[in-house]
Amino acid sequence: MLKVAKFGGSSMADAGQYQKIRDIIRSDPSRRVVVVSAAGKRSAGDNKITDLLYLCYAHLQYGVNCDAVFQMICDRYIAIRDECAIDYPIEDDLDAIYESLSARTSADELASRGEYLAAKLMAAYLGFSFVDAKSWLQFDYAGNVLQEASYAALQTLADGRKIVTPGFYGVLPDGRVHTFPRGGSDITGSLAAAALHADVYENWTDVPGILAADPKIVKRPAPIETLSYPELQLLSAAGTQVLHESAVAPVRERQIPLHPASS
Ligand code: ASP
């Protein structure tokens, strides 16, 4: 039995969420492959790490110093590391990213670092191996996923091991980082599940499954128990905010059940 568990930004937002994830992973040994988003918002007025990274990029483009914004990113990940007492020198990764910043830094490369850092921390916390998305998720120059090559690479790298891999990005044929559209870690999770012939793809968010109505409008709407893949695709495309619409196809192709779950 293999479950691929993907955790979204809100599920990765702070140390308390990391602890919840560790409990979730430890409660079921078949959760051997974990896909993570960058830290999301801790509250309504908070910032997503990915937004801060794009903001850094914009600063660099305009020649404006981005130290203050970059420091906010460092503070978030260092706080998670310290509060969870994770034995991992995240400062080394942060320093390497900082050193690499210039007006020539690509938006995709910089934006991808949120997931990269989150996966490094989560791998150390869980005692799983870190597998960089750059080492398996391959795109062509048009941004299409090279599915067969990506699946083969992940099969070799995962090989029955317990791994954490970052969502949202992969690699172009020339080695540069390429990202999916926003919310694309869902697609990474689905591809990982398909690649490894998982029994289940679990998509963990702050929303308790797919509800019959928008909970911001209707009080306590009933959860929808089962959906067909086409229905899920349609609802995702309509903006239910539970799943990226492109995340349905990979698991659909291999008839892998997708379980939305909330942490
Ligand atoms: N971190 C990226 C975003 O904010 C990707 C994701 O979370 O799925 O869009």
Side-chain angles (χ1 to χ4, degrees), residues 25 31-36 88 116 118-133 135-136 154 156-166:
I25 298 301
R31 294 190 174 115
R32 292 198 306 275
V33 175
V34 177
V35 179
V36 296
Y88 183 74
Y116 175 84
K120 284 267 177 149
L121 276 180
M122 188 54 81
Y125 191 41
L126 296 175
F128 283 21
S129 304
F130 169 81
V131 171
D132 196 351
S135 59
W136 69 272
L154 185 61
T156 308
L157 288 166
D159 193 29
R161 292 190 304 155
K162 295 179 166 193
I163 63 161
V164 178
T165 193

PDB file of all heavy atoms in Angstrom, residues 25 31-36 88 116 118-133 135-136 154 156-166:
ATOM      1  N   ILE A  25       1.598  11.721   9.215  1.00  0.00           N
ATOM      2  CA  ILE A  25       2.507  10.792   8.515  1.00  0.00           C
ATOM      3  C   ILE A  25       2.810   9.580   9.400  1.00  0.00           C
ATOM      4  O   ILE A  25       2.794   8.435   8.950  1.00  0.00           O
ATOM      5  CB  ILE A  25       3.813  11.508   8.090  1.00  0.00           C
ATOM      6  CG1 ILE A  25       3.502  12.642   7.093  1.00  0.00           C
ATOM      7  CG2 ILE A  25       4.825  10.524   7.499  1.00  0.00           C
ATOM      8  CD1 ILE A  25       2.805  12.225   5.817  1.00  0.00           C
ATOM      9  N   ARG A  31       1.982   6.189   4.159  1.00  0.00           N
ATOM     10  CA  ARG A  31       2.230   7.556   3.651  1.00  0.00           C
ATOM     11  C   ARG A  31       3.737   7.743   3.516  1.00  0.00           C
ATOM     12  O   ARG A  31       4.390   8.341   4.371  1.00  0.00           O
ATOM     13  CB  ARG A  31       1.640   8.596   4.612  1.00  0.00           C
ATOM     14  CG  ARG A  31       0.124   8.538   4.683  1.00  0.00           C
ATOM     15  CD  ARG A  31      -0.444   9.722   5.454  1.00  0.00           C
ATOM     16  NE  ARG A  31      -1.901   9.683   5.369  1.00  0.00           N
ATOM     17  CZ  ARG A  31      -2.723   9.500   6.417  1.00  0.00           C
ATOM     18  NH1 ARG A  31      -2.237   9.393   7.641  1.00  0.00           N
ATOM     19  NH2 ARG A  31      -4.025   9.449   6.238  1.00  0.00           N
ATOM     20  N   ARG A  32       4.274   7.214   2.441  1.00  0.00           N
ATOM     21  CA  ARG A  32       5.735   7.205   2.276  1.00  0.00           C
ATOM     22  C   ARG A  32       6.251   8.304   1.359  1.00  0.00           C
ATOM     23  O   ARG A  32       7.443   8.566   1.308  1.00  0.00           O
ATOM     24  CB  ARG A  32       6.189   5.840   1.713  1.00  0.00           C
ATOM     25  CG  ARG A  32       6.009   4.670   2.656  1.00  0.00           C
ATOM     26  CD  ARG A  32       6.871   3.499   2.220  1.00  0.00           C
ATOM     27  NE  ARG A  32       6.641   3.124   0.824  1.00  0.00           N
ATOM     28  CZ  ARG A  32       5.670   2.314   0.409  1.00  0.00           C
ATOM     29  NH1 ARG A  32       4.825   1.809   1.285  1.00  0.00           N
ATOM     30  NH2 ARG A  32       5.537   2.011  -0.876  1.00  0.00           N
ATOM     31  N   VAL A  33       5.340   8.898   0.578  1.00  0.00           N
ATOM     32  CA  VAL A  33       5.778   9.942  -0.348  1.00  0.00           C
ATOM     33  C   VAL A  33       5.001  11.220  -0.032  1.00  0.00           C
ATOM     34  O   VAL A  33       3.774  11.240  -0.059  1.00  0.00           O
ATOM     35  CB  VAL A  33       5.551   9.506  -1.811  1.00  0.00           C
ATOM     36  CG1 VAL A  33       5.889  10.638  -2.773  1.00  0.00           C
ATOM     37  CG2 VAL A  33       6.415   8.278  -2.117  1.00  0.00           C
ATOM     38  N   VAL A  34       5.760  12.265   0.310  1.00  0.00           N
ATOM     39  CA  VAL A  34       5.154  13.520   0.758  1.00  0.00           C
ATOM     40  C   VAL A  34       5.546  14.630  -0.214  1.00  0.00           C
ATOM     41  O   VAL A  34       6.725  14.777  -0.555  1.00  0.00           O
ATOM     42  CB  VAL A  34       5.640  13.858   2.189  1.00  0.00           C
ATOM     43  CG1 VAL A  34       5.089  15.192   2.663  1.00  0.00           C
ATOM     44  CG2 VAL A  34       5.239  12.739   3.161  1.00  0.00           C
ATOM     45  N   VAL A  35       4.549  15.376  -0.665  1.00  0.00           N
ATOM     46  CA  VAL A  35       4.777  16.508  -1.568  1.00  0.00           C
ATOM     47  C   VAL A  35       4.329  17.763  -0.834  1.00  0.00           C
ATOM     48  O   VAL A  35       3.230  17.771  -0.257  1.00  0.00           O
ATOM     49  CB  VAL A  35       3.973  16.341  -2.875  1.00  0.00           C
ATOM     50  CG1 VAL A  35       4.185  17.538  -3.805  1.00  0.00           C
ATOM     51  CG2 VAL A  35       4.364  15.046  -3.587  1.00  0.00           C
ATOM     52  N   VAL A  36       5.167  18.786  -0.823  1.00  0.00           N
ATOM     53  CA  VAL A  36       4.819  19.963  -0.025  1.00  0.00           C
ATOM     54  C   VAL A  36       4.786  21.260  -0.835  1.00  0.00           C
ATOM     55  O   VAL A  36       5.517  21.440  -1.799  1.00  0.00           O
ATOM     56  CB  VAL A  36       5.798  20.166   1.162  1.00  0.00           C
ATOM     57  CG1 VAL A  36       5.709  19.010   2.143  1.00  0.00           C
ATOM     58  CG2 VAL A  36       7.224  20.363   0.682  1.00  0.00           C
ATOM     59  N   TYR A  88      18.472  20.972  11.373  1.00  0.00           N
ATOM     60  CA  TYR A  88      18.813  21.211   9.966  1.00  0.00           C
ATOM     61  C   TYR A  88      19.291  22.667   9.784  1.00  0.00           C
ATOM     62  O   TYR A  88      18.579  23.604  10.177  1.00  0.00           O
ATOM     63  CB  TYR A  88      17.606  20.946   9.058  1.00  0.00           C
ATOM     64  CG  TYR A  88      17.975  21.123   7.608  1.00  0.00           C
ATOM     65  CD1 TYR A  88      18.745  20.164   6.959  1.00  0.00           C
ATOM     66  CD2 TYR A  88      17.631  22.281   6.919  1.00  0.00           C
ATOM     67  CE1 TYR A  88      19.156  20.359   5.650  1.00  0.00           C
ATOM     68  CE2 TYR A  88      18.037  22.473   5.610  1.00  0.00           C
ATOM     69  CZ  TYR A  88      18.792  21.508   4.989  1.00  0.00           C
ATOM     70  OH  TYR A  88      19.216  21.699   3.701  1.00  0.00           O
ATOM     71  N   TYR A 116      11.155  24.437  -2.173  1.00  0.00           N
ATOM     72  CA  TYR A 116      12.456  23.788  -1.937  1.00  0.00           C
ATOM     73  C   TYR A 116      12.805  23.822  -0.444  1.00  0.00           C
ATOM     74  O   TYR A 116      13.132  22.795   0.160  1.00  0.00           O
ATOM     75  CB  TYR A 116      13.514  24.521  -2.770  1.00  0.00           C
ATOM     76  CG  TYR A 116      14.932  24.074  -2.559  1.00  0.00           C
ATOM     77  CD1 TYR A 116      15.443  22.974  -3.240  1.00  0.00           C
ATOM     78  CD2 TYR A 116      15.778  24.762  -1.691  1.00  0.00           C
ATOM     79  CE1 TYR A 116      16.754  22.564  -3.054  1.00  0.00           C
ATOM     80  CE2 TYR A 116      17.087  24.364  -1.499  1.00  0.00           C
ATOM     81  CZ  TYR A 116      17.572  23.260  -2.182  1.00  0.00           C
ATOM     82  OH  TYR A 116      18.876  22.868  -1.989  1.00  0.00           O
ATOM     83  N   ALA A 118      10.806  24.417   2.114  1.00  0.00           N
ATOM     84  CA  ALA A 118       9.795  23.708   2.906  1.00  0.00           C
ATOM     85  C   ALA A 118      10.066  22.199   2.879  1.00  0.00           C
ATOM     86  O   ALA A 118       9.960  21.518   3.899  1.00  0.00           O
ATOM     87  CB  ALA A 118       8.402  24.008   2.362  1.00  0.00           C
ATOM     88  N   ALA A 119      10.423  21.696   1.711  1.00  0.00           N
ATOM     89  CA  ALA A 119      10.666  20.251   1.577  1.00  0.00           C
ATOM     90  C   ALA A 119      11.932  19.838   2.324  1.00  0.00           C
ATOM     91  O   ALA A 119      11.989  18.767   2.928  1.00  0.00           O
ATOM     92  CB  ALA A 119      10.770  19.865   0.100  1.00  0.00           C
ATOM     93  N   LYS A 120      12.944  20.700   2.300  1.00  0.00           N
ATOM     94  CA  LYS A 120      14.179  20.399   3.038  1.00  0.00           C
ATOM     95  C   LYS A 120      13.879  20.263   4.529  1.00  0.00           C
ATOM     96  O   LYS A 120      14.325  19.313   5.184  1.00  0.00           O
ATOM     97  CB  LYS A 120      15.194  21.531   2.834  1.00  0.00           C
ATOM     98  CG  LYS A 120      15.866  21.510   1.482  1.00  0.00           C
ATOM     99  CD  LYS A 120      17.154  20.742   1.593  1.00  0.00           C
ATOM    100  CE  LYS A 120      17.856  20.614   0.272  1.00  0.00           C
ATOM    101  NZ  LYS A 120      19.292  20.554   0.383  1.00  0.00           N
ATOM    102  N   LEU A 121      13.117  21.230   5.046  1.00  0.00           N
ATOM    103  CA  LEU A 121      12.779  21.204   6.478  1.00  0.00           C
ATOM    104  C   LEU A 121      11.908  20.008   6.815  1.00  0.00           C
ATOM    105  O   LEU A 121      12.140  19.312   7.805  1.00  0.00           O
ATOM    106  CB  LEU A 121      12.025  22.483   6.858  1.00  0.00           C
ATOM    107  CG  LEU A 121      12.859  23.715   7.180  1.00  0.00           C
ATOM    108  CD1 LEU A 121      11.943  24.879   7.537  1.00  0.00           C
ATOM    109  CD2 LEU A 121      13.821  23.442   8.329  1.00  0.00           C
ATOM    110  N   MET A 122      10.904  19.761   5.984  1.00  0.00           N
ATOM    111  CA  MET A 122       9.977  18.666   6.279  1.00  0.00           C
ATOM    112  C   MET A 122      10.684  17.312   6.203  1.00  0.00           C
ATOM    113  O   MET A 122      10.427  16.419   7.013  1.00  0.00           O
ATOM    114  CB  MET A 122       8.779  18.715   5.315  1.00  0.00           C
ATOM    115  CG  MET A 122       7.670  17.746   5.641  1.00  0.00           C
ATOM    116  SD  MET A 122       7.044  17.862   7.350  1.00  0.00           S
ATOM    117  CE  MET A 122       5.936  19.252   7.205  1.00  0.00           C
ATOM    118  N   ALA A 123      11.593  17.153   5.251  1.00  0.00           N
ATOM    119  CA  ALA A 123      12.333  15.888   5.135  1.00  0.00           C
ATOM    120  C   ALA A 123      13.154  15.649   6.406  1.00  0.00           C
ATOM    121  O   ALA A 123      13.146  14.546   6.965  1.00  0.00           O
ATOM    122  CB  ALA A 123      13.244  15.924   3.912  1.00  0.00           C
ATOM    123  N   ALA A 124      13.822  16.696   6.871  1.00  0.00           N
ATOM    124  CA  ALA A 124      14.629  16.551   8.090  1.00  0.00           C
ATOM    125  C   ALA A 124      13.727  16.251   9.290  1.00  0.00           C
ATOM    126  O   ALA A 124      14.076  15.448  10.156  1.00  0.00           O
ATOM    127  CB  ALA A 124      15.435  17.827   8.334  1.00  0.00           C
ATOM    128  N   TYR A 125      12.583  16.883   9.327  1.00  0.00           N
ATOM    129  CA  TYR A 125      11.658  16.713  10.470  1.00  0.00           C
ATOM    130  C   TYR A 125      11.096  15.291  10.512  1.00  0.00           C
ATOM    131  O   TYR A 125      10.990  14.678  11.567  1.00  0.00           O
ATOM    132  CB  TYR A 125      10.533  17.735  10.314  1.00  0.00           C
ATOM    133  CG  TYR A 125       9.639  17.885  11.519  1.00  0.00           C
ATOM    134  CD1 TYR A 125      10.152  17.903  12.815  1.00  0.00           C
ATOM    135  CD2 TYR A 125       8.261  18.057  11.371  1.00  0.00           C
ATOM    136  CE1 TYR A 125       9.325  18.081  13.918  1.00  0.00           C
ATOM    137  CE2 TYR A 125       7.433  18.231  12.461  1.00  0.00           C
ATOM    138  CZ  TYR A 125       7.970  18.241  13.738  1.00  0.00           C
ATOM    139  OH  TYR A 125       7.149  18.415  14.829  1.00  0.00           O
ATOM    140  N   LEU A 126      10.753  14.772   9.351  1.00  0.00           N
ATOM    141  CA  LEU A 126      10.148  13.433   9.306  1.00  0.00           C
ATOM    142  C   LEU A 126      11.197  12.325   9.304  1.00  0.00           C
ATOM    143  O   LEU A 126      10.870  11.151   9.497  1.00  0.00           O
ATOM    144  CB  LEU A 126       9.292  13.282   8.033  1.00  0.00           C
ATOM    145  CG  LEU A 126       8.068  14.194   7.886  1.00  0.00           C
ATOM    146  CD1 LEU A 126       7.420  13.981   6.515  1.00  0.00           C
ATOM    147  CD2 LEU A 126       7.061  13.948   8.998  1.00  0.00           C
ATOM    148  N   GLY A 127      12.451  12.693   9.018  1.00  0.00           N
ATOM    149  CA  GLY A 127      13.480  11.660   8.849  1.00  0.00           C
ATOM    150  C   GLY A 127      13.340  10.955   7.512  1.00  0.00           C
ATOM    151  O   GLY A 127      13.753   9.806   7.351  1.00  0.00           O
ATOM    152  N   PHE A 128      12.737  11.642   6.524  1.00  0.00           N
ATOM    153  CA  PHE A 128      12.598  11.113   5.170  1.00  0.00           C
ATOM    154  C   PHE A 128      13.734  11.673   4.301  1.00  0.00           C
ATOM    155  O   PHE A 128      14.396  12.639   4.683  1.00  0.00           O
ATOM    156  CB  PHE A 128      11.254  11.555   4.556  1.00  0.00           C
ATOM    157  CG  PHE A 128      10.037  10.801   5.052  1.00  0.00           C
ATOM    158  CD1 PHE A 128      10.042  10.105   6.251  1.00  0.00           C
ATOM    159  CD2 PHE A 128       8.862  10.783   4.306  1.00  0.00           C
ATOM    160  CE1 PHE A 128       8.920   9.414   6.707  1.00  0.00           C
ATOM    161  CE2 PHE A 128       7.728  10.095   4.738  1.00  0.00           C
ATOM    162  CZ  PHE A 128       7.757   9.409   5.932  1.00  0.00           C
ATOM    163  N   SER A 129      13.930  11.088   3.128  1.00  0.00           N
ATOM    164  CA  SER A 129      14.950  11.617   2.216  1.00  0.00           C
ATOM    165  C   SER A 129      14.360  12.757   1.397  1.00  0.00           C
ATOM    166  O   SER A 129      13.220  12.677   0.942  1.00  0.00           O
ATOM    167  CB  SER A 129      15.424  10.541   1.237  1.00  0.00           C
ATOM    168  OG  SER A 129      15.900   9.432   1.942  1.00  0.00           O
ATOM    169  N   PHE A 130      15.163  13.796   1.177  1.00  0.00           N
ATOM    170  CA  PHE A 130      14.753  14.898   0.303  1.00  0.00           C
ATOM    171  C   PHE A 130      15.059  14.514  -1.140  1.00  0.00           C
ATOM    172  O   PHE A 130      16.191  14.132  -1.449  1.00  0.00           O
ATOM    173  CB  PHE A 130      15.519  16.176   0.687  1.00  0.00           C
ATOM    174  CG  PHE A 130      15.363  17.295  -0.304  1.00  0.00           C
ATOM    175  CD1 PHE A 130      14.241  18.106  -0.282  1.00  0.00           C
ATOM    176  CD2 PHE A 130      16.340  17.537  -1.260  1.00  0.00           C
ATOM    177  CE1 PHE A 130      14.086  19.147  -1.197  1.00  0.00           C
ATOM    178  CE2 PHE A 130      16.203  18.575  -2.179  1.00  0.00           C
ATOM    179  CZ  PHE A 130      15.072  19.381  -2.146  1.00  0.00           C
ATOM    180  N   VAL A 131      14.058  14.589  -1.997  1.00  0.00           N
ATOM    181  CA  VAL A 131      14.283  14.357  -3.429  1.00  0.00           C
ATOM    182  C   VAL A 131      13.883  15.631  -4.160  1.00  0.00           C
ATOM    183  O   VAL A 131      12.696  16.009  -4.175  1.00  0.00           O
ATOM    184  CB  VAL A 131      13.453  13.153  -3.949  1.00  0.00           C
ATOM    185  CG1 VAL A 131      13.534  13.064  -5.469  1.00  0.00           C
ATOM    186  CG2 VAL A 131      13.951  11.851  -3.327  1.00  0.00           C
ATOM    187  N   ASP A 132      14.858  16.317  -4.741  1.00  0.00           N
ATOM    188  CA  ASP A 132      14.556  17.587  -5.415  1.00  0.00           C
ATOM    189  C   ASP A 132      13.659  17.343  -6.624  1.00  0.00           C
ATOM    190  O   ASP A 132      13.893  16.398  -7.402  1.00  0.00           O
ATOM    191  CB  ASP A 132      15.865  18.255  -5.855  1.00  0.00           C
ATOM    192  CG  ASP A 132      15.659  19.725  -6.196  1.00  0.00           C
ATOM    193  OD1 ASP A 132      14.495  20.182  -6.267  1.00  0.00           O
ATOM    194  OD2 ASP A 132      16.675  20.425  -6.392  1.00  0.00           O
ATOM    195  N   ALA A 133      12.663  18.204  -6.803  1.00  0.00           N
ATOM    196  CA  ALA A 133      11.777  18.089  -7.967  1.00  0.00           C
ATOM    197  C   ALA A 133      12.570  18.266  -9.270  1.00  0.00           C
ATOM    198  O   ALA A 133      12.178  17.763 -10.322  1.00  0.00           O
ATOM    199  CB  ALA A 133      10.663  19.125  -7.871  1.00  0.00           C
ATOM    200  N   SER A 135      15.206  16.912  -9.962  1.00  0.00           N
ATOM    201  CA  SER A 135      15.845  15.651 -10.360  1.00  0.00           C
ATOM    202  C   SER A 135      14.850  14.663 -10.969  1.00  0.00           C
ATOM    203  O   SER A 135      15.246  13.582 -11.387  1.00  0.00           O
ATOM    204  CB  SER A 135      16.576  15.026  -9.169  1.00  0.00           C
ATOM    205  OG  SER A 135      15.674  14.781  -8.119  1.00  0.00           O
ATOM    206  N   TRP A 136      13.554  15.015 -11.018  1.00  0.00           N
ATOM    207  CA  TRP A 136      12.622  14.081 -11.654  1.00  0.00           C
ATOM    208  C   TRP A 136      11.553  14.731 -12.531  1.00  0.00           C
ATOM    209  O   TRP A 136      11.199  14.184 -13.577  1.00  0.00           O
ATOM    210  CB  TRP A 136      11.966  13.154 -10.616  1.00  0.00           C
ATOM    211  CG  TRP A 136      10.997  13.786  -9.654  1.00  0.00           C
ATOM    212  CD1 TRP A 136      11.293  14.363  -8.452  1.00  0.00           C
ATOM    213  CD2 TRP A 136       9.579  13.888  -9.806  1.00  0.00           C
ATOM    214  NE1 TRP A 136      10.153  14.821  -7.847  1.00  0.00           N
ATOM    215  CE2 TRP A 136       9.083  14.534  -8.654  1.00  0.00           C
ATOM    216  CE3 TRP A 136       8.661  13.489 -10.799  1.00  0.00           C
ATOM    217  CZ2 TRP A 136       7.718  14.802  -8.459  1.00  0.00           C
ATOM    218  CZ3 TRP A 136       7.310  13.746 -10.607  1.00  0.00           C
ATOM    219  CH2 TRP A 136       6.851  14.394  -9.455  1.00  0.00           C
ATOM    220  N   LEU A 154      11.323   9.445 -11.216  1.00  0.00           N
ATOM    221  CA  LEU A 154      10.854   9.380  -9.823  1.00  0.00           C
ATOM    222  C   LEU A 154      10.832   7.938  -9.322  1.00  0.00           C
ATOM    223  O   LEU A 154      11.165   7.678  -8.157  1.00  0.00           O
ATOM    224  CB  LEU A 154       9.465  10.032  -9.676  1.00  0.00           C
ATOM    225  CG  LEU A 154       8.971  10.101  -8.225  1.00  0.00           C
ATOM    226  CD1 LEU A 154       9.920  10.935  -7.356  1.00  0.00           C
ATOM    227  CD2 LEU A 154       7.563  10.674  -8.124  1.00  0.00           C
ATOM    228  N   THR A 156      12.850   5.591 -10.056  1.00  0.00           N
ATOM    229  CA  THR A 156      14.220   5.231  -9.686  1.00  0.00           C
ATOM    230  C   THR A 156      14.616   5.902  -8.367  1.00  0.00           C
ATOM    231  O   THR A 156      15.213   5.271  -7.492  1.00  0.00           O
ATOM    232  CB  THR A 156      15.202   5.680 -10.800  1.00  0.00           C
ATOM    233  OG1 THR A 156      14.714   5.171 -12.030  1.00  0.00           O
ATOM    234  CG2 THR A 156      16.607   5.188 -10.553  1.00  0.00           C
ATOM    235  N   LEU A 157      14.270   7.173  -8.242  1.00  0.00           N
ATOM    236  CA  LEU A 157      14.693   7.913  -7.043  1.00  0.00           C
ATOM    237  C   LEU A 157      13.930   7.480  -5.795  1.00  0.00           C
ATOM    238  O   LEU A 157      14.500   7.402  -4.712  1.00  0.00           O
ATOM    239  CB  LEU A 157      14.483   9.418  -7.270  1.00  0.00           C
ATOM    240  CG  LEU A 157      15.451  10.074  -8.242  1.00  0.00           C
ATOM    241  CD1 LEU A 157      14.943  11.447  -8.657  1.00  0.00           C
ATOM    242  CD2 LEU A 157      16.823  10.210  -7.587  1.00  0.00           C
ATOM    243  N   ALA A 158      12.644   7.218  -5.932  1.00  0.00           N
ATOM    244  CA  ALA A 158      11.828   6.870  -4.763  1.00  0.00           C
ATOM    245  C   ALA A 158      12.144   5.431  -4.347  1.00  0.00           C
ATOM    246  O   ALA A 158      12.489   5.178  -3.191  1.00  0.00           O
ATOM    247  CB  ALA A 158      10.349   7.044  -5.065  1.00  0.00           C
ATOM    248  N   ASP A 159      12.018   4.512  -5.250  1.00  0.00           N
ATOM    249  CA  ASP A 159      12.426   3.118  -5.057  1.00  0.00           C
ATOM    250  C   ASP A 159      12.095   2.569  -3.660  1.00  0.00           C
ATOM    251  O   ASP A 159      12.984   2.079  -2.947  1.00  0.00           O
ATOM    252  CB  ASP A 159      13.937   3.007  -5.351  1.00  0.00           C
ATOM    253  CG  ASP A 159      14.371   1.545  -5.487  1.00  0.00           C
ATOM    254  OD1 ASP A 159      13.540   0.729  -5.897  1.00  0.00           O
ATOM    255  OD2 ASP A 159      15.540   1.239  -5.156  1.00  0.00           O
ATOM    256  N   GLY A 160      10.857   2.710  -3.246  1.00  0.00           N
ATOM    257  CA  GLY A 160      10.421   2.157  -1.968  1.00  0.00           C
ATOM    258  C   GLY A 160      10.851   2.961  -0.745  1.00  0.00           C
ATOM    259  O   GLY A 160      10.539   2.604   0.377  1.00  0.00           O
ATOM    260  N   ARG A 161      11.596   4.072  -0.979  1.00  0.00           N
ATOM    261  CA  ARG A 161      12.074   4.867   0.164  1.00  0.00           C
ATOM    262  C   ARG A 161      10.995   5.831   0.641  1.00  0.00           C
ATOM    263  O   ARG A 161      10.018   6.088  -0.048  1.00  0.00           O
ATOM    264  CB  ARG A 161      13.296   5.694  -0.258  1.00  0.00           C
ATOM    265  CG  ARG A 161      14.514   4.839  -0.559  1.00  0.00           C
ATOM    266  CD  ARG A 161      15.743   5.711  -0.728  1.00  0.00           C
ATOM    267  NE  ARG A 161      15.576   6.737  -1.761  1.00  0.00           N
ATOM    268  CZ  ARG A 161      16.265   7.874  -1.780  1.00  0.00           C
ATOM    269  NH1 ARG A 161      17.131   8.152  -0.826  1.00  0.00           N
ATOM    270  NH2 ARG A 161      16.099   8.743  -2.771  1.00  0.00           N
ATOM    271  N   LYS A 162      11.215   6.403   1.815  1.00  0.00           N
ATOM    272  CA  LYS A 162      10.325   7.449   2.321  1.00  0.00           C
ATOM    273  C   LYS A 162      10.915   8.781   1.885  1.00  0.00           C
ATOM    274  O   LYS A 162      12.066   9.092   2.261  1.00  0.00           O
ATOM    275  CB  LYS A 162      10.254   7.370   3.845  1.00  0.00           C
ATOM    276  CG  LYS A 162       9.624   6.080   4.325  1.00  0.00           C
ATOM    277  CD  LYS A 162       9.602   6.038   5.828  1.00  0.00           C
ATOM    278  CE  LYS A 162       8.674   4.911   6.259  1.00  0.00           C
ATOM    279  NZ  LYS A 162       8.358   4.974   7.673  1.00  0.00           N
ATOM    280  N   ILE A 163      10.158   9.519   1.096  1.00  0.00           N
ATOM    281  CA  ILE A 163      10.728  10.756   0.537  1.00  0.00           C
ATOM    282  C   ILE A 163       9.803  11.962   0.717  1.00  0.00           C
ATOM    283  O   ILE A 163       8.589  11.826   0.833  1.00  0.00           O
ATOM    284  CB  ILE A 163      11.059  10.606  -0.968  1.00  0.00           C
ATOM    285  CG1 ILE A 163       9.786  10.354  -1.798  1.00  0.00           C
ATOM    286  CG2 ILE A 163      12.070   9.500  -1.211  1.00  0.00           C
ATOM    287  CD1 ILE A 163       9.969  10.657  -3.284  1.00  0.00           C
ATOM    288  N   VAL A 164      10.443  13.130   0.712  1.00  0.00           N
ATOM    289  CA  VAL A 164       9.708  14.398   0.614  1.00  0.00           C
ATOM    290  C   VAL A 164      10.217  15.087  -0.646  1.00  0.00           C
ATOM    291  O   VAL A 164      11.433  15.195  -0.849  1.00  0.00           O
ATOM    292  CB  VAL A 164       9.960  15.322   1.823  1.00  0.00           C
ATOM    293  CG1 VAL A 164       9.214  16.645   1.644  1.00  0.00           C
ATOM    294  CG2 VAL A 164       9.528  14.648   3.124  1.00  0.00           C
ATOM    295  N   THR A 165       9.300  15.538  -1.483  1.00  0.00           N
ATOM    296  CA  THR A 165       9.707  16.255  -2.689  1.00  0.00           C
ATOM    297  C   THR A 165       8.906  17.552  -2.782  1.00  0.00           C
ATOM    298  O   THR A 165       7.740  17.587  -2.393  1.00  0.00           O
ATOM    299  CB  THR A 165       9.548  15.346  -3.947  1.00  0.00           C
ATOM    300  OG1 THR A 165      10.230  15.945  -5.057  1.00  0.00           O
ATOM    301  CG2 THR A 165       8.108  15.113  -4.322  1.00  0.00           C
ATOM    302  N   PRO A 166       9.550  18.625  -3.263  1.00  0.00           N
ATOM    303  CA  PRO A 166       8.842  19.901  -3.340  1.00  0.00           C
ATOM    304  C   PRO A 166       7.833  19.924  -4.486  1.00  0.00           C
ATOM    305  O   PRO A 166       8.117  19.384  -5.564  1.00  0.00           O
ATOM    306  CB  PRO A 166       9.958  20.916  -3.631  1.00  0.00           C
ATOM    307  CG  PRO A 166      11.250  20.173  -3.592  1.00  0.00           C
ATOM    308  CD  PRO A 166      10.958  18.719  -3.711  1.00  0.00           C
TER     309      PRO A 166
END
